[in-house]
Amino acid sequence: LSFILPEGVNVEVDGLLVPASSILKYQVSTGTHSVRMVKEGFLPIESKVSVRAGQTATINALGAPPKNRTTEE
């Protein structure tokens, strides 16, 4: 897995914190994995990612909405 993240985002894969040194290339086994990204003041992003053998899946967390975002109707 590879992550595109704003500064200060913490990433968990299958419940384990991804070290900052591994954000650009985090090794996972083939199959489906749970990913959670959290940054103070923003809504967490949670998703499932399926990875095939030899594949690199990239997850982009730029542009996540802030917690107290309001929308105008």
Side-chain angles (χ1 to χ4, degrees):
L1 294 172
S2 177
F3 299 91
I4 301 171
L5 305 170
E7 188 174 327
V9 174
N10 290 315
V11 179
E12 295 177 4
V13 174
D14 298 331
L16 299 173
L17 184 64
V18 175
S21 61
S22 297
I23 289 296
L24 294 178
K25 191 168 185 180
Y26 186 70
Q27 296 290 327
V28 294
S29 60
T30 300
T32 302
H33 300 275
S34 298
V35 176
R36 178 176 165 87
M37 293 168 277
V38 180
K39 181 176 179 175
E40 188 174 330
F42 289 78
L43 294 170
I45 298 172
E46 298 180 7
S47 66
K48 299 277 186 188
V49 178
S50 293
V51 179
R52 295 180 187 166
Q55 175 191 27
T56 298
T58 300
I59 299 170
N60 185 343
L62 297 178
K67 273 187 184 174
N68 296 320
R69 182 178 179 181
T70 59
T71 56
E72 295 182 27
E73 296 181 25

